[in-house]
Amino acid sequence: MSQAASSPPAPAPILEAQGVVKELHGGQEPVLAVNGVSLSIQRGEFVAITGPSGSGKSTLLYLLGALDRPTRGEIRIDGASTTPMQDPQLAKLRN
C-alpha cells in the first residue's frame, strides 16, 4: 500500500494585515483613509497597490511599513504583531 506524498506546510507570510483601519482626524468628522484592509504577502511575492489619488495607498504603505499605527486591526511582519511594539522596537524592525 503506497502513501500519498504530503506537501510541506505553506511558509508563514512575510507580511499580513487583518482588518486594518486608519482614521484621520482634522475636520469635524474623522476620515477613513484605510477601511478594513486584509492581505497576506508571501516571501518573494511581488505586489502592486493601485488606486486613484486620495484612495489611501500611501497611508496603507505607511501602516504596512510600521511607520504609522492603525486605528484598528493588526499588522504582522514575519509573524510578529506590530501592535504591542514600542517605537524603538518598530525602528529596529524597519532597519
Side-chain angles (χ1 to χ4, degrees), residues 24-84:
L24 301 177
H25 301 272
Q28 292 186 1
E29 295 189 25
V31 173
L32 288 175
V34 174
N35 188 11
V37 171
S38 294
L39 58 84
S40 178
I41 301 172
Q42 297 297 323
R43 189 175 302 277
E45 187 174 19
F46 288 90
V47 177
I49 297 174
T50 64
S53 178
S55 63
K57 300 177 303 292
S58 294
T59 302
L60 178 60
L61 290 172
Y62 273 90
L63 295 169
L64 296 176
L67 295 167
D68 197 2
R69 296 179 183 270
T71 306
R72 289 187 298 281
E74 182 179 28
I75 296 171
R76 288 185 297 279
I77 299 175
D78 208 13
S81 174
T82 62
T83 302

